Amino acid sequence: MRAAAEIRARIDTTKPHSARFWNYFVGGKDNYEVDREIGDHIKDIFPGLVDVARSSRQFLGRTVHHLAGERGVRQFLDVGTGLPTADNTHEVAQRVAPDARIVYVDNDPLVLTHARALLTSTEEGRTDYLDADLYKPAAVLKAAEETLDLSKPVALMILNTLGHVADHARARSLVATLMEGLPSGSYLVISDSTATSEGMIAASDAYNSSGAVPYHVRAVDEITGFFDGLELLEPGIVPVTEWRPDTAGAAVQRVDAYGGVGRKP
């Protein structure tokens, strides 16, 4: 991992950042005034984005719990990790399966400064952290092999990250390359904000005008396209609140974020 001084030098506190902005919305403390200012502005435009952030985090917990508990997955590759909060991937997975192995991938300097919080593990399992780039999927897979056995199924987690890839075709290619490097029986988990309401579109425009690295909300069918060639688990690509909610049959709030889980045949 890079020297701490070098990492800190890369942190820009003059512009909002998606990881810090999201951290603010989920109640975290790892954010700066510039992130809170745009967060408060966007909450005035579209209060529902707070629900998107929190429900997306809950989606992570439910999908990891299902894959580790019901599908027997023991390896997770979490790309675009973001800042640590409660119930990170390794915590959820290792509560269910103490021998689970998790590799986190991110190249954001502030996330890197908090990487040690993601490196705790049960004695039976293992966690690792890669300072690596989604735009170099082959390098991600090669580095992940130091911790994961890529001859056995892996759950690839890409949550609230692909919106940073402006070109949809390129985003699909990146996902496809990562999945090509994983064996049959592996899973893909994706969630992202969607252009499914005027409020979400306005919030996205406001964020992208703030000077931050743009984040592009997509149509639902574009989210679905990431799963081409995979076997979708029920209930398919749905608002994240509707993916196997904890209280079966209870009414759930619909949000402008869709996600799903697909299995590689």
Side-chain angles (χ1 to χ4, degrees), residues 44-106:
D44 288 340
I45 297 172
F46 181 52
L49 193 57
V50 176
D51 298 320
V52 167
R54 293 176 179 174
S55 59
S56 295
R57 193 70 190 180
Q58 293 161 0
F59 171 80
L60 179 153
R62 295 197 305 277
T63 54
V64 172
H65 188 276
H66 175 76
L67 291 174
E70 303 298 324
R71 301 278 171 164
V73 177
R74 294 296 179 266
Q75 302 188 111
F76 294 81
L77 179 60
D78 188 331
V79 178
T81 303
L83 288 162
T85 59
D87 285 342
N88 300 292
T89 298
H90 73 284
E91 294 169 321
V92 178
Q94 291 182 345
R95 277 201 297 268
V96 179
D99 59 337
R101 292 183 167 223
I102 297 87
V103 171
Y104 291 103
V105 180
D106 209 306

Side-chain angles (χ1 to χ4, degrees), residues 22 89 215:
W22 215 241
T89 298
Y215 202 96

